[in-house]
Amino acid sequence: MEKLSDEFRFSDIEENLKVIGENIADAAVKSGRSEKDVHLMAVTKTVNAIRINHAIDCGVNLIGENRVQEFLGKEADLHLENCNAHLIGHLQSNKVKQIIGKVDVIQSVDTLSIANEIGKRAVNGGLNQKILLEVNVGNEDSKFGFNLDEVEERCAEIAEIEGISVCGLMCVAPICDDKAALIKIFQNMYNKFIDIDGQKMDNVSMSILSMGMSGDYEQAILGGANLVRVGSAIFGPRIYRDKH
């Protein structure tokens, strides 16, 4: 029955991707860029492989998973030949060895210690792991990440760790109903992104600015994002299944 249900949702996924693509293009133009300058990530938390693969068949070429175990459980069934995968959720040190080499980018590096663990595991595996530094742009107690005023210094330290390459910044913005204020928050992130890029640090390439989710991706693009992480706006409300 689950397969039939998933097939029934295929048309919804197709329509959602069309609308999101139009919104991204519109916001990109308003920000002085092309839609090609903004990469759409399909966030696949709680979404099964059947629906993820349909999104990939519709042109999605980047997915993001929140949890290591969930990604590893789906990986064999995903059609990732022409699709990259990122880890975007909080990463615990005891999960690092399981995810190294499995995803193209770990977006959620939020402490020096986790960066060191990633570097160690990558070196042991003969790999170089691309990472983003997560910024707690709203200084919220409930969120992980470096403070905006410290991330440049932490970036310089992390860039010296063997086995990793710093490729940009990521944030989850505070919940905010004021769209103008939200754009300003994203612009603050963009300004820091540009500042770090201007430092020309070794082993740092500020190529990815990952900001915005289903509820605020248009404001994120207006604020400078070049990668947006969209889940429920593509796949519908998340379905949390009983594990028992």
Side-chain angles (χ1 to χ4, degrees):
M1 291 300 293
E2 186 177 358
K3 184 175 181 180
L4 179 62
S5 175
D6 287 321
E7 289 175 345
F8 183 74
R9 293 192 185 99
F10 281 177
S11 61
D12 291 337
I13 292 171
E14 293 160 13
E15 179 61 26
N16 291 343
L17 285 171
K18 178 182 177 183
V19 171
I20 292 164
E22 292 171 351
N23 292 342
I24 287 174
D26 184 56
V29 169
K30 289 178 180 177
S31 71
R33 294 175 291 164
S34 162
E35 62 184 289
K36 295 179 181 179
D37 296 324
V38 182
H39 206 155
L40 171 64
M41 167 187 282
V43 176
T44 55
K45 182 179 180 181
T46 78
V47 182
N48 66 23
I50 295 171
R51 295 163 67 207
I52 297 169
N53 287 334
H54 186 68
I56 293 172
D57 291 342
C58 291
V60 167
N61 61 10
L62 176 63
I63 65 168
E65 191 61 69
N66 288 72
R67 296 187 176 95
V68 171
Q69 293 307 122
E70 185 173 352
F71 176 72
L72 295 178
K74 299 173 183 176
E75 183 186 15
D77 296 322
L78 295 176
H79 301 162
L80 297 177
E81 297 83 4
N82 298 301
C83 182
N84 287 346
H86 292 191
L87 183 74
I88 60 174
H90 178 63
L91 179 59
Q92 297 174 315
S93 59
N94 64 346
K95 301 290 186 183
V96 171
K97 64 181 178 181
Q98 299 175 39
I99 200 65
I100 289 293
K102 294 287 189 176
V103 293
D104 300 279
V105 178
I106 297 173
Q107 290 204 11
S108 48
V109 175
D110 53 17
T111 63
L112 184 58
S113 62
I114 201 71
N116 276 312
E117 182 67 16
I118 292 169
K120 181 179 75 174
R121 295 291 182 179
V123 169
N124 289 345
L127 304 169
N128 186 278
Q129 179 66 62
K130 295 179 181 178
I131 67 168
L132 305 186
L133 304 185
E134 182 172 0
V135 179
N136 186 350
V137 71
N139 292 327
E140 298 174 274
D141 292 338
S142 60
K143 288 194 173 78
F144 298 101
F146 301 104
N147 291 333
L148 195 62
D149 59 2
E150 71 168 333
V151 68
E152 187 170 332
E153 184 178 351
R154 298 290 86 80
C155 183
E157 294 172 348
I158 291 170
E160 296 181 359
I161 299 172
E162 186 180 1
I164 61 176
S165 294
V166 181
C167 298
L169 305 178
M170 179 267 253
C171 77
V172 178
I175 296 173
C176 180
D177 293 329
D178 185 335
K179 292 184 178 181
L182 192 54
I183 292 170
K184 181 62 177 176
I185 290 170
F186 288 127
Q187 287 175 336
N188 290 339
M189 269 286 290
Y190 175 77
N191 291 337
K192 182 60 67 175
F193 176 79
I194 293 300
D195 288 345
I196 294 175
D197 187 49
Q199 296 298 316
K200 305 298 180 185
M201 301 178 195
D202 290 340
N203 198 33
V204 175
S205 170
M206 286 287 115
S207 58
I208 301 174
L209 181 56
S210 174
M211 306 192 296
M213 302 188 294
S214 289
D216 60 10
Y217 68 89
E218 291 171 89
Q219 288 74 44
I221 294 168
L222 293 171
N226 61 21
L227 187 156
V228 292
R229 310 180 306 272
V230 182
S232 58
I234 296 174
F235 297 110
R238 289 173 176 155
I239 301 172
Y240 293 92
R241 295 178 174 85
D242 190 345
K243 295 182 180 179
H244 299 290

